[in-house]
Amino acid sequence: MTPRSRLHLRLFACGVLLGVVAEQIVLFAVPLLIFQDTKEVSALGFAYAIEWLPPLLAYPFAGLLADRDGGPRLFSLVTAGRAVVLGGALVGCLAAPSLLTPVLMTSGALLSLLMAPVRMSVEKVVPQLAQGTELPKIQGLVQSMEVSAMAVGPALAMLGVVFIDKVWLLAGAAAVFAAAAACWLPLPRGQRSPGGAGARETFAELRLGWSLLMRSRPLVLLASLNFSINLVFATVLSANAALVTGVFHAPETSYALLNICIGVLGIINLLVIPFLLRYVEVRLLGAFGLALLCLCLLLIGFANSMLLYGSAFVVAMLGVTYFNVFNRTQRIKVLPQEHLGKVMGPFYLLNMLAMPLAGLLVAGSGASVGPQRLVAVLAIALTLFGAVMLPLTVRAFGHAFAAQEVSLVGAGAES
């Protein structure tokens, strides 16, 4: 790796880290502000649903933009836009405190809308930075950066509320978003695909992306598995503030401490994952991660103390991290680089559909059934579903990789 490529890798990782740190500051402040303003679990559920609905339609178009742009410039522009949104939200909360919840819900929807091109930009740039055996390491780096931000973001937020009101954390998050945007400015734009600006050409590309996705059995199976995981874990995240401060009557510092512990594990994983990948196949790491996640979700659903709930919550994110190394690595290997954004847009749409549904589940049944009992039921269902779907998914990817090798051998023989 040349000094220039090492610099690009560091700037890439720094931009990812800072972007997620800003998201974590927002995720710390906004649920607490809304719950304190409304005192209702249903408000948290509706806020979570509203936050995740906009990206559902945005992801396919964001994938097209990433293909056409190459990734880095799109990331910088959109991340800077997220800083502007938070600045507007801060002004709205200060100018009209009685409208705090509607303002925060609106800004959350806008932030999640802009998250779609950010995620697609990362997907586009990763295979430009690494190929072959280095790809799982870069995917592990991305996943660890995202989890590590869960330590830095809440820690900064918890430190901030000692000196300032929680609403001013929005200004801090806006500054971090601006710094993340600056990190990617020096990166080369990378591989771009031409595309027409007209509606007909755009919808033709969208159809191509959906077609490529639906014809790929491993991607369809993986999307189904991801959806089920996201539905259960998003239910936990949606109700987390209410569970910590309402069910277990723990202080706000405990709410932040959970994410800090998760982030510390993420930092440790920066060293652990490359070491594990020397001795453990990616698919085995994914299977272990899913099993660990299911076990922890069951513990969350039946926990009778904050200590057990908090421990299971932290370790569950470790399971998510290991599974996502498998998830991110395998899906990129079966996609042609020139159509990566077109396919990953619909793929993300199917995955993220679970987020607003989880919020609606909490809003609709969180008060009557109880958020913890809801998590328990969903965790049992995920455990049974995952036991069937994961082997099918691993087998489908194995067939796809074998077909690729045969195709490459045939092409080499013809040349």
Side-chain angles (χ1 to χ4, degrees), residues 264-282:
V264 170
L265 278 179
I267 294 171
I268 294 173
N269 272 330
L270 282 173
L271 301 175
V272 172
I273 289 178
F275 174 78
L276 287 176
L277 289 172
R278 295 179 187 174
Y279 306 101
V280 180
E281 291 185 16
V282 170

Side-chain angles (χ1 to χ4, degrees), residues 80-343:
R82 300 177 87 185
V84 173
V85 168
L86 283 179
L90 175 63
V91 172
C93 291
L94 295 176
S98 61
L99 298 176
L100 182 143
T101 295
V103 167
L104 291 178
M105 285 185 176
T106 302
S107 64
L110 291 174
L111 288 174
S112 65
L113 180 67
L114 295 175
M115 181 178 21
V118 170
R119 294 289 186 266
M120 291 297 96
S121 297
V122 174
E123 292 285 345
K124 186 72 178 178
V125 172
V126 164
Q128 297 172 14
L129 296 173
Q131 299 290 335
T133 58
E134 293 298 313
L135 185 58
K137 296 179 182 179
I138 300 298
Q139 295 290 16
L141 174 65
V142 172
Q143 185 66 27
S144 295
M145 287 289 101
E146 292 179 351
V147 178
S148 299
M150 293 184 176
V152 180
L156 291 175
M158 192 166 62
L159 180 63
V161 296
V162 174
F163 303 101
I164 59 176
D165 189 82
K166 282 190 285 291
V167 73
W168 285 100
L169 293 176
L170 302 179
V176 179
F177 271 134
C183 285
W184 277 42
L185 287 175
L187 298 186
R189 289 182 62 183
Q191 182 177 351
R192 288 166 280 170
S193 64
R200 179 178 297 178
E201 291 83 357
T202 297
F203 282 106
E205 292 182 71
L206 288 175
R207 283 196 300 271
L208 176 60
W210 279 104
S211 176
L212 291 172
L213 173 60
M214 291 299 129
R215 290 204 302 262
S216 175
R217 176 177 169 80
L219 288 180
V220 171
L221 292 174
L222 184 61
S224 302
L225 189 55
N226 285 349
F227 174 88
S228 62
I229 293 171
N230 287 340
L231 180 64
V232 187
F233 204 69
T235 301
V236 177
L237 294 177
S238 176
N240 190 33
L243 286 169
V244 172
T245 61
V247 174
F248 297 109
H249 307 290
E252 291 179 2
T253 52
S254 298
Y255 177 70
L257 187 60
L258 286 180
N259 286 334
I260 292 174
C261 292
I262 289 171
V264 170
L265 278 179
I267 294 171
I268 294 173
N269 272 330
L270 282 173
L271 301 175
V272 172
I273 289 178
F275 174 78
L276 287 176
L277 289 172
R278 295 179 187 174
Y279 306 101
V280 180
E281 291 185 16
V282 170
R283 60 182 181 178
L284 294 179
L285 188 63
F288 173 74
L290 180 59
L292 184 62
L293 172 61
C294 290
L295 174 62
C296 291
L297 288 172
L298 289 170
L299 291 175
I300 288 172
F302 293 98
N304 56 7
S305 69
M306 182 61 200
L307 178 61
L308 180 57
Y309 171 83
S311 301
F313 184 85
V314 171
V315 180
M317 188 59 75
L318 189 65
V320 171
T321 300
Y322 290 148
F323 177 79
N324 271 341
V325 174
F326 163 81
N327 173 27
R328 293 173 183 268
T329 301
Q330 302 299 84
R331 70 195 188 200
I332 284 183
K333 287 182 179 179
V334 298
L335 288 172
Q337 177 65 28
E338 66 273 16
H339 299 308
L340 192 150
K342 298 181 187 67
V343 181

